[in-house]
């Protein structure tokens, strides 16, 4: 295996817009909002950026195709801009492009920016999308909650968990994320909720109720990356560097071959193993300070915590109910509210998660700052459906940790 | 000699309680109250004359090889396409191959028997086998008697040389432009005339001579008929025709009114299949029809019939598989008889790329996937490189039909968010005992009754309808294969 990019790339600056129902803002307004914070944080000029990666997943709802919308919004000076899309993991894909460009030496400073403007559809939830000409002719009539809900059916069957126990653990996950979101001024949802509210909510896709589903939001997030040497030369201390970046993509095996039981993410396990190797982590339960998991649905977070080898297989229900992943627990998960409450503007989400880990590493997370000083955090960004998906894992930490 | 080599039947699972129709419409037309008892079969939102015909055909085909059919004929007045051969869609769905001669027969309630006479003549002249299908899903306006008396259903016969399970003895037809009702071009519904005239000048004057004719042709006496099938929604008219023709009173077959209802052009065959399921060897069945004249055909059950009676679902089995529907509004919605707010999520463009449909017709209409010749793994869809992680052979796959595979639910959900004409949408991963799996829509399931591990079989259904272009899209769905509890 290649040696990887551990500590080869530092985050120079990051920005994130307020997430939510931004009825009065266009996508380019959100782009500028995130970018202005990042460029100020980085302490550089736009002219110093060598190349940019731009992530949007449902571009037909807002900016349209190509890198042009980013270049235009920021008036980038004829530099390379690549638009990327990889389901809901698009934001991580932009980060990967920029980071690899720096690691390779092709660029000194690169920009990754994601945006999504989802609240212009006229209805709640993700927009109805084309799935490809042939896919639309035979795929099941799936929504996002409906495809992820099936994790619960398969997980219950495999681990012998009752519907009530699973619903209770899922409810704890959502209550925890709302608690965390209430301490985050940029979060889409900042209200606290109770377990009773979660359990009594209407069903969206059996067994997922309304509060098992994340918010669909407008928002943008971005990262400016460079080498640790350049970061230091620009006067940066306490560097936050990339420890690992891994991506695993389904190849049809889960969808077509009877070797997958539906209760976990085959991609997440593959990506996690490679990421830990790249980052030099062998005991993730002890060595990770924080996790930002792709909690599009409460059940996704629950099974993912096992796929990341933090909870033992079949043990996430207990860990969740024990508060292991709460903000004051051993490994806080979604300390910023997660997709559930920070929100899920698809193209921006992976970058938003990195933004949170970046702030936490620097002690800049305000009211939600982890009490015990964090050293390294994991970002898990997932796109697609349990049986056919794209899973990105980034490990971000203090330089030299 | 030619005969019926096999038979099959299909009645949709949903039975609309006629009381629910009368409760809704009796205020307007009090005479409907006479029909407030019993029920009629209705298609679910994803069924039509083609999907029902496929199910009836699969019943008749059973384990029989699908190749070698000389022809497939479809009789219906409710075909989804006016210009795209409906019988051709069926031949594709049933994997009969391209060498089969396909033909739609329609334009009259007599189509089912008229086509059958022609098919039997064709078999006599050139041999078989011929797959003969009749299927009907008629639209009726709200508050009409037709809405109460009609039903949806299909029947299938395999016709071939030899006696089969029922030997064909002969037929007689009369073509008369007696317009008891008609449906003009582009019209949604039938327009009909007075029932008393239809009874006295129609049934009672036109049908008995045809019966007499077929008896003369076959050298039989009226008393030789053990089963007399004549669809008719007018009360007691069947008996009156039997009496006028001299047929024994006991020969009058139940017209299935109140069970499935009158299935239109398919009904003579639905009644024939029903009769074949109860007839004894040596008994003679006379099937007659009425519509733009009349046809009458006589068959004689052979010693082969009892074994097939045990092996087929037929109409009897289909009638046992039922779920009562008491929500008349749901029936109206399924049949687009009421303007519904279907929500913004229903507005996605549903255009079908016809090039893709043609290129992938085996996959989409016949549910043909692949099987790797190197490792034996069945997979859907068929692909260039084997999905088995321990194989990955390239260009190693041969056609593997999945339609007859039995599967089990690995995971599922009931989805209230996605647009579905009958929410919640049930779908999930179905894993096949023979290998392979697919994430697929479920149909004919009940909320709260679906479980991981539930055995499923595949059925040909409407995937969705493109309302902007009038195009019905078909694919296969999974449905519980076990004995379904009556709900």
């Amino acid at each position: 295996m290649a040696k990887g990019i551990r500590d080869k790339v530092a985050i120079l600056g990051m920005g994130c817009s307020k997430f939510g129902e931004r009825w009065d803002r266009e996508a380019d307004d959100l782009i500028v909002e995130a970018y202005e914070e990042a460029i100020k944080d980085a302490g550089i000029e736009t002219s110093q950026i060598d190349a940019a990666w731009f992530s949007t997943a449902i571009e037909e709802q807002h900016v349209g195709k190509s890198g042009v919308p980013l270049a235009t919004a920021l008036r980038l000076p004829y530099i390379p801009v690549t638009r990327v899309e990889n389901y809901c993991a698009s934001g991580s894909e932009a980060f990967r492009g920029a980071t690899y460009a720096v690691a390779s030496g092709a660029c000194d400073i690169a920009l990754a920016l994601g945006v999504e403007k989802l609240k212009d559809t006229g209805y709640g939830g993700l927009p109805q999308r084309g799935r490809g000409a042939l896919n639309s002719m035979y795929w099941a009539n799936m929504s996002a909650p409906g495809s992820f809900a099936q994790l619960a059916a398969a997980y219950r069957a495999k681990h012998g968990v009752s519907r009530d126990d699973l619903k209770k653990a899922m409810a704890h996950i959502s209550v925890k994320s709302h608690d965390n979101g209430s301490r985050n001024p940029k979060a889409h949802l900042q209200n606290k909720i109770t377990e009773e509210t979660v359990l009594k909510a209407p069903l969206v896709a059996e067994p997922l109720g309304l509060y098992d589903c994340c918010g669909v939001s407008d928002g943008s997030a971005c990262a400016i990356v460079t080498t640790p040497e350049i970061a230091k030369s620009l006067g940066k201390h306490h560097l936050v560097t990339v420890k690992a970046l891994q991506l695993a993509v389904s190849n049809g095996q889960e969808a077509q071959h009877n070797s997958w039981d539906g209760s976990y993410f085959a991609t997440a396990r593959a990506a996690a193993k490679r990421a830990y190797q790249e980052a030099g982590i062998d005991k993730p339960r002890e060595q990770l300070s924080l996790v930002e998991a792709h909690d599009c649905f409460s059940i996704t977070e629950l099974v993912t915590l096992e796929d990341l080898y933090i909870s033992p297989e079949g043990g996430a229900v207990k860990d969740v109910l024990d508060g292991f992943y709460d903000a004051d627990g051993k490994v806080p998960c979604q300390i910023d509210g997660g997709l559930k409450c920070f929100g899920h503007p698809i193209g921006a989400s992976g970058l938003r998660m990195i933004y949170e880990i970046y702030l936490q590493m620097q002690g800049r997370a305000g009211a939600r700052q982890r009490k015990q000083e964090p050293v390294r955090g994991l970002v898990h960004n997932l796109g697609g459906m349990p049986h056919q998906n794209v899973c990105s894992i980034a490990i971000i930490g203090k330089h030299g940790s | 000699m030619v005969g019926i080599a096999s038979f099959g039947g299909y009645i949709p699972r949903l039975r609309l309680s006629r009381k629910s129709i009368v409760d809704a419409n009796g205020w307007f037309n009090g005479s409907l109250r006479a029909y407030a008892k019993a029920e009629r079969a209705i298609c679910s939102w994803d069924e039509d004359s083609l999907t029902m015909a496929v199910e009836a055909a699969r019943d008749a085909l059973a384990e029989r090889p699908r190749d070698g059919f000389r022809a497939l004929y479809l009789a219906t007045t409710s075909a989804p396409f006016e210009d795209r051969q409906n019988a051709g869609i069926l031949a594709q769905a049933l994997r009969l191959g391209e060498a089969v001669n396909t033909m739609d027969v329609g334009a009259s309630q007599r189509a089912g028997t008229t086509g059958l006479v022609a098919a039997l003549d064709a078999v006599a002249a050139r041999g078989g086998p011929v797959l003969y299908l009749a299927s009907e899903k008629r639209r009726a306006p709200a508050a009409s008697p037709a809405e109460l008396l009609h039903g949806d259903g299909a029947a299938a016969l395999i016709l071939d040389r030899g006696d089969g399970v029922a030997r064909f003895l002969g037929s007689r037809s009369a073509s008369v432009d007696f317009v008891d009702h008609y449906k003009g071009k582009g019209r949604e519904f039938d327009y009909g005339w007075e029932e008393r005239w239809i009874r006295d000048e129609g049934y009672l004057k036109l049908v008995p001579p045809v019966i007499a004719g077929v008896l003369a042709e076959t050298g039989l006496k009226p008393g030789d008929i053990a089963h007399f099938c004549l669809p008719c929604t007018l009360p007691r008219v069947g008996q009156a025709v039997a009496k006028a023709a001299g047929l024994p009173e006991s020969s009058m077959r139940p017209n299935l009114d109140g069970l499935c209802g009158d299935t239109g052009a398919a009904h003579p065959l639905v009644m024939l299949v029903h009769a074949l399921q109860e007839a004894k060897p040596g008994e003679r069945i006379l099937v007659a029809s009425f519509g733009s004249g009349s046809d009458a055909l006589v068959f004689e059950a052979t010693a082969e019939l009892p074994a097939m009676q045990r092996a087929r679902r037929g109409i009897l089995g289909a009638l046992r598989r039922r779920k009562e529907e008491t929500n008349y509004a749901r029936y109206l919605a399924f049949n687009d008889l009421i303007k519904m707010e279907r929500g913004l999520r229903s507005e996605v463009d549903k255009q079908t790329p016809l090039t893709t449909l043609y290129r992938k017709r085996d996959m989409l209409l016949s549910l043909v996937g692949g099987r790797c010749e190197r490792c034996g793994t069945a997979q859907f869809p068929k692909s260039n490189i084997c999905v088995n992680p321990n194989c990955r052979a390239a260009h190693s796959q041969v056609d593997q039909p999945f339609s007859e595979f039995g599967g089990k639910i690995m995971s599922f959900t009931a989805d209230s968010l996605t647009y579905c004409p009958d929410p919640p949408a049930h779908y999930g991963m179905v894993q096949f005992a023979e290998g392979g799996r697919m994430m697929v829509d479920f149909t004919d399931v009940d909320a709260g009754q679906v479980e991981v591990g539930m055995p499923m079989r595949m059925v040909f259904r409407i995937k969705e309808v493109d309302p902007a272009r009038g195009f019905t899209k078909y694919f296969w769905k999974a449905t519980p294969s076990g004995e379904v509890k009556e709900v």
Side-chain angles (χ1 to χ4, degrees), chain B residues 66-121:
Chain B
R66 300 290 176 91
D67 51 356
F69 276 87
R70 183 180 290 281
L72 181 157
Y73 299 150
L74 169 68
T76 182
T77 67
S78 49
F81 290 95
E82 279 189 15
D83 191 350
R84 175 191 176 189
Q85 198 187 48
N86 298 282
I89 300 171
L90 298 179
Q92 173 70 47
L94 293 164
R95 289 183 283 110
L96 297 192
E98 290 180 359
V100 62
N101 180 29
T102 49
M103 181 168 70
D104 290 352
V105 186
S108 155
Q109 290 302 300
R110 193 159 59 93
T113 51
T114 305
L116 182 57
V117 170
L120 287 160
D121 284 350

Side-chain angles (χ1 to χ4, degrees), chain B residues 204-447:
Chain B
L204 287 171
K205 285 197 178 163
L206 297 177
V207 182
V210 176
I211 294 173
V214 75
L215 291 175
E217 180 165 323
T218 54
L220 295 170
K221 292 187 281 297
D224 295 332
I225 301 300
H227 302 275
F228 172 48
C229 307
L230 174 66
C232 183
T233 56
L234 303 176
R236 292 175 300 280
V237 169
Q239 289 84 343
V241 169
K243 192 172 177 191
L247 299 173
E249 210 178 317
S250 61
S251 68
M252 191 71 220
R253 295 284 310 173
N255 68 359
L256 308 176
D257 176 58
L259 293 171
C260 59
D262 188 281
T263 60
H267 211 53
L269 283 96
V270 165
M271 289 181 69
L272 169 60
V273 169
H274 191 241
L276 285 167
Q277 292 187 275
E278 294 181 335
K280 296 182 184 67
E283 287 185 338
R284 287 158 192 127
I285 303 167
L286 192 155
V287 191
S289 62
F290 178 80
S292 309
S294 174
D295 299 311
L297 302 87
V298 181
F299 297 90
E300 181 180 291
T302 71
E304 307 293 318
L305 183 58
M308 189 158 287
Q309 286 171 341
R310 289 189 292 274
R312 295 287 180 270
R313 172 185 61 207
I315 298 300
L316 278 174
L319 286 172
R320 279 197 293 271
R321 177 182 169 274
R322 68 179 274 282
K323 181 193 180 189
E324 186 182 33
E325 176 59 71
T326 56
N327 186 349
Y328 174 66
R330 181 176 280 138
Y331 159 80
L332 292 179
F334 282 4
N335 290 282
D336 218 6
L337 290 161
I338 188 171
K339 294 213 186 302
M340 292 263 293
E341 167 64 63
R342 294 185 185 270
L344 270 60
R345 285 184 180 276
S346 69
E347 293 172 7
V348 179
D349 192 340
K350 299 180 173 73
Q351 187 191 45
T352 294
L354 298 176
T355 40
T356 314
L357 175 63
Y358 178 67
R359 195 162 55 237
K360 294 291 183 183
R361 61 195 184 280
D362 286 348
M363 168 190 167
L364 296 167
L365 294 175
S366 319
L367 203 69
V368 169
R371 183 172 46 78
C372 176
E373 285 199 297
R374 187 191 290 179
C375 72
T377 300
Q379 46 207 288
F380 189 92
K382 186 178 175 183
S383 55
N384 291 302
I385 300 174
C386 179
V387 73
N388 178 358
N390 301 313
C391 176
R392 299 285 195 238
H395 312 294
S396 61
Q397 293 173 43
V398 293
D399 283 353
Q400 172 60 60
F402 273 67
S403 61
E404 309 308 312
F405 278 7
K408 281 188 176 176
I409 295 177
M410 187 190 90
S411 65
F412 75 96
T413 189
D415 188 335
S416 302
L417 180 67
T418 193
Y419 170 70
C420 175
D422 188 22
H426 285 80
Y427 52 86
M429 188 70 90
V430 171
Q431 187 158 309
F432 299 102
E434 298 87 348
R437 57 168 53 175
M438 72 183 71
M439 180 67 72
V440 69
D441 290 317
F442 296 171
T443 190
D444 286 352
V445 293
D446 301 306

Side-chain angles (χ1 to χ4, degrees), chain A residues 123-124 126 128 137-143 146 149-150 204-206 251 253-258 260 262 387, chain B residues 344-345 348 363-364 380-381 389 392 410-416 418-419 427-428 431 436-437 439 441 463 475:
Chain A
Y123 50 83
L126 289 176
Q128 296 290 124
M137 294 160 88
Y138 81 98
W139 279 13
N141 179 18
M142 289 179 290
S143 69
Q150 295 178 56
V204 174
E206 163 66 32
N251 57 30
Q253 205 167 306
E254 303 100 297
Q256 293 166 257
H257 189 255
N258 291 337
W260 176 69
H387 71 287
Chain B
L344 270 60
R345 285 184 180 276
V348 179
M363 168 190 167
L364 296 167
F380 189 92
R392 299 285 195 238
M410 187 190 90
S411 65
F412 75 96
T413 189
D415 188 335
S416 302
T418 193
Y419 170 70
Y427 52 86
Q431 187 158 309
R437 57 168 53 175
M439 180 67 72
D441 290 317
K463 176 102 178 89
F475 187 59

Side-chain angles (χ1 to χ4, degrees), chain B residues 6-19:
Chain B
S6 181
F7 59 80
Y10 181 77
I11 301 293
R13 173 177 175 251
L14 291 180
R15 308 299 155 74
L16 181 62
S17 119
R18 296 205 300 208
K19 182 172 179 299

